[in-house]
Amino acid sequence: EYQYAYNQIVNNKINRAERAFDLYIEKYPEDDKLGEVYFWKGEIHYKRKDYTDALEYYLISYQKYPDNERYLDSLFKMSVVLGFLGKEKEACEGFTLLVSNQTTISESLRSKALAEAVQFGCIDN
């Protein structure tokens, strides 16, 4: 069921993906994948440019499920959205956490965070 919902996002069937993830949350309220589910719900709202709701879902993924596979991705996207919403200070805090992470972040995500941090004026390059 998770894979079905994820495949809907991959195939750009956003409404179907949203409904499938909502059903997943209802059916499996204690599942280990919920952190990822909330990340993907954030992505759905991000694609719709509904940044307030996207921020809410990324925040749930990041705060409530710190062991999920999308944990650092949630922080990254949360920071991007905060920047879009005019909250540069908070965005910079997130990017700084990502750039300074020495253990668990992929080099790809670190590079993206660094580029965003420079773009938002958090750090000089």
Side-chain angles (χ1 to χ4, degrees):
E1 292 172 56
Y2 172 88
Q3 191 62 45
Y4 171 81
Y6 174 78
N7 288 342
Q8 299 311 300
I9 286 180
V10 170
N11 293 319
N12 209 30
K13 297 184 179 184
I14 303 303
N15 292 334
R16 280 188 187 174
E18 182 174 33
R19 183 67 185 135
F21 281 128
D22 287 343
L23 290 171
Y24 193 91
I25 291 167
E26 287 176 30
K27 191 171 181 180
Y28 307 106
E30 303 297 321
D31 192 75
D32 290 342
K33 288 226 176 266
L34 284 181
E36 294 172 60
V37 169
Y38 282 107
F39 171 81
W40 292 117
K41 284 187 58 80
E43 290 290 272
I44 289 166
H45 288 276
Y46 184 87
K47 285 179 181 258
R48 292 178 177 155
K49 297 184 180 4
D50 178 4
Y51 299 126
T52 302
D53 283 348
L55 180 61
E56 179 182 330
Y57 289 117
Y58 293 137
L59 190 60
I60 291 169
S61 175
Y62 181 75
Q63 286 186 330
K64 194 171 178 185
Y65 303 97
D67 294 328
N68 88 78
E69 288 186 27
R70 295 289 175 180
Y71 176 74
L72 293 175
D73 295 313
S74 294
L75 177 58
F76 174 76
K77 290 303 280 275
M78 195 168 44
S79 301
V80 169
V81 169
L82 284 165
F84 288 166
L85 296 174
K87 298 178 187 252
E88 288 86 5
K89 181 180 179 227
E90 293 89 342
C92 286
E93 289 171 3
F95 293 133
T96 301
L97 279 173
L98 289 164
V99 170
S100 64
N101 183 316
Q102 299 299 317
T103 56
T104 58
I105 191 170
S106 70
E107 202 48 50
S108 170
L109 185 56
R110 183 193 314 277
S111 294
K112 289 193 304 188
L114 180 58
E116 292 291 335
V118 169
Q119 181 178 340
F120 277 106
C122 308
I123 57 175
D124 296 325
N125 191 7

